[in-house]
Amino acid sequence: MSVPATGMSPAELQKAARDHLWLHFTRMSGYMDGEIPIIVRGDGCYVEDTNGKRYLDALAGLFAVNIGYGFGEEVGEAAAAQMRELPFYTNWNYAHPRAIELAAEVASLAPGDLNRVFFVSGGSEAVESAWKLARQYYAARGDRQRTQVAERMAAGERIEQYFSTDRRWKAVARRIAYHGTTMGALSINGIAALRAPFEPLVPDVIHVRNTNRYHRPSEETEAEFTAFLLEDLEESILQAGPETIAMVIFEPVQNAGGSYTAPEGYWKGVREICDRYDILLCADEVITGFGRLGAWFASERYDIRPDIITSAKGLSSAHAAIGAVIATDKVMEPFLDGHKMYSHGITFGGHPVMAAIALKNIEIMKREGIVEHVARRQDAFHETLSSLLDLPIVGDLRGTGFFYALELVKDKETRETFSDEECETLLRGFLSPRLFEAGLICRADDRGDPVVQISPPLVAEQQQFDEITSILGEVLSEAWEQIGR
Ligand SMILES: Cc1ncc(COP(=O)(O)O)c(C=O)c1O
C-alpha cells in the first residue's frame, strides 16, 4: 500500500476528510458511507490514490495540468528559490521581477497587441476582472473623449454633436457556457442550474445561442449555421441596446455542453458585430489557453482578435493559483491618462511564487515542445477516439487539440437525448463511478446534453489515447446494457 506524504494513515485521512473537508460541487451525502477518493501523487498522465491504485487522468486535474504530473520537482525548485528570494510582495502600487517577467512572457505569447497583463488568482477572478475592466473602459474612454472635445472647442473648433459613450455594463455570453462561480462570473454563466440557487444575480447578462451543431437540422449547411448564429447574436445585441453592452465573452471552444467548436466564418462575424457596435470582445481562454488546442492561445488559431483574453489553469499548469487578464493596447489606452486607474485589485494578484511557477511552466512547455506536440498529435487522438462512434450510445465526437467530448444518445438515428432521470442514473449513478473504478478519470457531464469530456495532460501519447479509448469503450458498452437496450 502506498503511504501518503502526511502524518495521517489512509483511514485517518478518510475520517478527517469526511468530518472536516467540504468538497466543491460535490454531494457530500454520497460520501457519508462511501470512500472519498484521495489522490496522493502523480506522474506523467497518471495519478495514484491512498490505496496505491493508479488512474489515467484524462481530465488533467480540471482541464488544467497541461504539463502533466512529472515536472513537480523542477517547478518546486523554482518555487523554493523564489521563496528564499522574496516570498511575497504585492502588485498594488509595486512591482517585482517575477510578475514583470511573466507579464512580458505572456504578452509575447499572446497574439497581436494583447500587451498588458493583470494577474489574478484563478479563472473566475479573471472573468470577474474582465467584466469590471470592460465596464470601466467605457467610463475612462468617455472622460477622455469629453476632455478632448472640450479642448478642441476651447481651441475654437465648432462641434455640433457629441455622443458620450461612458456607461456600459451589460455582458453577452452563450447558453450552457461555464465561466466560473464568483457573482459576476456566475451571472455570465449560461447554465441555469448553477445560477438558480444564487438569484438575483448581477444584472444584466444576455445569453445567446452556442455553437452546438449536433441537434441542428441535418440539411443545414455550415454557412447557414454560421449566419443563423450571427443573426441571433446581432438581434440580441440590438434588443438589449448596443450602447449599454460592454463585453461579449465567448470561449474559443465551449467546454460545457461538450467541446463545441465554431463553424467556419463565425469568429470573423463575431468580431465584425463587436466592431459595428463598439463592444469589447473577450475570449475566455481559461481552458483553451496555453496549448490545449495546439497553439499558445486559441485566439491565434482561430484568428479571433479579442480585445481581452482571460486565462488561468494552463498558465501554471495548475501548479500555482494564478490567472491573468490580458488586454490590448486599445483597452489600456484610456487608463494611461492623467489620474485614471483600473479600480480593481486582489492581494494575491501576481504573487511572486505563483509567477515564478508560471514562468517555469512556460519554460518547460517551450523546452519540451508541448504546444507543438498537441498540434502534431491532435488528429491521431481524434482518430483513435472516433472508433467509439461505432457504439450505439455514442452519437457525436467533437472537439479539437487535446479537448474532446462524446455526446451520449438514446437513439443515434433520431439523436434523441436522455431524460433528466436517465441522466441521473446513467451519468451520476453508473458512468462516473464505473469509469473511476476502471482506472480512468474523465467527466460525465449533463450541464447541456449528456457528454463525456476528455482532456488529458498535453504530454499524452498514443499509449494514453489507446487506453482512454479502450476503457471508455468497455464502460460505455456496459452503460448501454445497463439501460436495457
Ligand atoms: C472557461 C472557463 N472560465 C472560467 C472558469 C473558472 O475558473 P476557476 O475555476 O479557476 O475559477 C473555468 C473553470 O473551469 C472555465 O472553464
Side-chain angles (χ1 to χ4, degrees):
M1 181 179 288
S2 137
V3 181
T6 134
M8 293 188 188
S9 70
E12 286 166 338
L13 282 172
Q14 276 298 330
K15 178 161 174 19
R18 222 174 270 135
D19 290 347
H20 302 295
L21 186 63
W22 204 329
L23 299 178
H24 298 209
F25 282 117
T26 302
R27 297 174 181 178
M28 292 303 291
S29 64
Y31 290 123
M32 285 302 110
D33 302 317
E35 269 211 353
I36 295 180
I38 301 176
I39 303 299
V40 290
R41 61 171 57 80
D43 61 278
C45 295
Y46 297 84
V47 291
E48 192 182 304
D49 69 11
T50 33
N51 303 316
K53 184 170 169 192
R54 271 164 74 78
Y55 303 85
L56 202 180
D57 182 7
L59 204 58
L62 263 177
F63 312 91
V65 188
N66 288 5
I67 58 174
Y69 298 93
F71 295 97
E73 204 160 317
E74 187 179 346
V75 176
E77 276 161 19
Q82 185 57 42
M83 281 283 184
R84 282 192 290 272
E85 185 180 308
L86 178 71
F88 178 68
Y89 219 75
T90 171
N91 270 184
W92 292 41
N93 280 309
Y94 300 92
H96 53 74
R98 295 304 91 73
I100 299 167
E101 289 158 7
L102 183 61
E105 182 70 340
V106 169
S108 80
L109 296 172
D113 67 343
L114 285 145
N115 286 324
R116 190 66 65 158
V117 186
F118 184 95
F119 291 114
V120 293
S121 323
S124 299
E125 270 181 17
V127 170
E128 195 85 22
S129 305
W131 195 8
K132 288 180 76 176
L133 176 59
R135 285 173 169 222
Q136 213 194 341
Y137 164 78
Y138 291 95
R141 200 185 65 173
D143 287 349
R144 170 180 240 242
Q145 283 171 343
R146 252 192 308 280
T147 313
Q148 285 167 348
V149 167
E151 281 167 5
R152 281 162 59 195
M153 287 171 86
E157 194 177 331
R158 204 160 151 226
I159 294 174
E160 300 276 340
Q161 266 197 329
Y162 164 64
F163 297 106
S164 164
T165 54
D166 59 359
R167 213 174 105 66
R168 289 182 178 224
W169 65 97
K170 295 179 187 168
V172 176
R174 294 188 296 206
R175 296 192 190 119
I176 323 280
Y178 180 81
H179 292 282
T181 48
T182 53
M183 284 307 275
L186 178 68
S187 308
I188 286 174
N189 269 306
I191 304 168
L194 291 190
R195 298 158 53 90
F198 305 101
E199 283 166 347
L201 297 170
V202 182
D204 294 287
V205 182
I206 298 106
H207 288 104
V208 298
R209 286 183 182 276
N210 58 46
T211 60
N212 180 6
R213 189 147 186 230
Y214 184 60
H215 294 284
R216 296 293 306 157
S218 57
E219 65 281 3
E220 187 178 63
T221 65
E222 180 142 344
E224 284 166 349
F225 184 43
T226 303
F228 171 74
L229 294 170
L230 294 176
E231 215 170 281
D232 172 64
L233 173 62
E234 187 159 17
E235 267 175 23
S236 305
I237 287 173
L238 286 171
Q239 239 177 35
E243 71 289 351
T244 60
I245 300 174
M247 174 177 84
V248 165
I249 177 165
F250 294 163
E251 290 161 272
V253 174
Q254 183 175 319
N255 177 40
S259 290
Y260 297 147
T261 52
E264 186 69 32
Y266 176 79
W267 290 115
K268 185 167 177 286
V270 169
R271 182 69 264 182
E272 280 169 7
I273 291 171
C274 287
D275 286 344
R276 193 171 309 140
Y277 300 107
D278 188 22
I279 296 167
L280 295 179
L281 174 58
C282 175
D284 186 352
E285 295 227 33
V286 167
I287 288 181
T288 57
F290 295 91
R292 184 142 302 277
L293 303 191
W296 284 100
F297 289 95
S299 292
E300 184 171 7
R301 175 169 167 182
Y302 295 119
D303 197 22
I304 296 174
R305 302 176 189 219
D307 302 292
I308 301 171
I309 285 179
T310 45
S311 121
K313 304 184 189 257
L315 168 59
S316 70
S317 284
H319 287 48
I322 186 167
V325 178
I326 313 164
T328 56
D329 295 340
K330 170 182 126 173
V331 173
M332 184 66 202
E333 206 187 334
F335 294 97
L336 293 173
D337 260 9
H339 297 293
K340 284 277 157 324
M341 68 169 172
Y342 175 32
S343 305
H344 183 54
I346 290 157
T347 301
F348 292 158
H351 190 296
V353 179
M354 307 293 127
I357 291 171
L359 276 166
K360 181 54 80 176
N361 171 59
I362 294 171
E363 183 191 315
I364 291 169
M365 289 187 78
K366 284 182 169 173
R367 187 185 73 212
E368 304 289 323
I370 286 174
V371 179
E372 296 78 3
H373 170 71
V374 175
R376 216 170 32 244
R377 300 300 294 154
Q378 59 183 336
D379 290 345
F381 193 11
H382 185 273
E383 200 185 315
T384 309
L385 288 169
S386 64
S387 66
L388 296 168
L389 284 165
D390 294 340
L391 299 175
I393 196 173
V394 178
D396 195 21
L397 164 65
R398 42 182 187 256
T400 184
F402 280 16
F403 190 42
Y404 293 99
L406 298 166
E407 180 163 337
L408 309 182
V409 285
K410 230 154 111 166
D411 187 327
K412 274 166 93 136
E413 283 300 306
T414 61
R415 303 189 173 186
E416 185 188 352
T417 192
F418 292 98
S419 67
D420 289 350
E421 259 167 65
E422 287 164 330
C423 280
E424 181 68 30
T425 17
L426 178 71
L427 296 182
R428 295 201 189 83
F430 179 76
L431 266 182
S432 294
R434 183 70 192 94
L435 283 168
F436 191 67
E437 201 180 293
L440 184 69
I441 297 177
C442 58
R443 190 200 248 174
D445 188 22
D446 64 346
R447 292 179 292 184
D449 295 315
V451 291
V452 175
Q453 295 167 318
I454 304 148
S455 188
L458 307 185
V459 292
E461 302 277 2
Q462 187 61 43
Q463 188 196 332
Q464 283 76 43
F465 307 159
D466 290 337
E467 205 176 325
I468 292 169
T469 308
S470 153
I471 297 177
L472 276 172
E474 268 171 46
V475 175
L476 288 171
S477 302
E478 283 176 42
W480 188 248
E481 296 296 314
Q482 281 271 327
I483 52 173
R485 304 263 141 193

